[in-house]
């Protein structure tokens, strides 16, 4: 239970930071906050997906810079 709560807290912090930095989404939109809360509760599924996408993007950027 402690591991799940620690992961929940860390994922909420990570997702909230990304949400607050996003200038395209209004901070008063209830649907955005609901997505943030659902993603936090489902962090064992959501966080690996986010990390996989970030790693894929960074690899693509590295390949593009090597080819240039």
């Amino acid at each position: 239970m402690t591991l799940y709560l620690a992961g929940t807290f860390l994922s909420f912090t990570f997702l909230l930071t990304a949400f607050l930095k996003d200038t395209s989404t209004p901070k008063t939109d209830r649907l955005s906050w609901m997505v943030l809360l659902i993603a936090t509760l489902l962090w064992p599924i959501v966080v690996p997906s986010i990390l996989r996408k970030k790693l894929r993007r960074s690899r693509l950027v590295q390949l593009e810079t090597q080819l240039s």
Side-chain angles (χ1 to χ4, degrees):
M1 182 70 169
T2 303
L3 178 64
Y4 184 81
L5 290 176
T8 303
F9 176 75
L10 290 174
S11 65
F12 178 74
T13 304
F14 176 72
L15 295 168
L16 181 64
T17 303
F19 175 70
L20 293 176
K21 286 183 180 180
D22 184 13
T23 58
S24 67
T25 304
K27 306 307 180 241
T28 56
D29 186 23
R30 289 184 185 185
L31 182 60
S32 298
W33 285 102
M34 297 236 339
V35 169
L36 179 72
L37 291 174
I38 291 169
T40 300
L41 294 174
L42 298 175
W43 71 267
I45 299 167
V46 174
V47 171
S49 174
I50 291 171
L51 293 175
R52 188 180 74 236
K53 287 180 184 179
K54 285 193 168 279
L55 287 173
R56 185 179 300 151
R57 283 188 190 150
S58 68
R59 287 180 187 160
L60 287 174
V61 170
Q62 286 177 353
L63 284 174
E64 288 176 356
T65 56
Q66 289 176 354
L67 293 175
S68 298

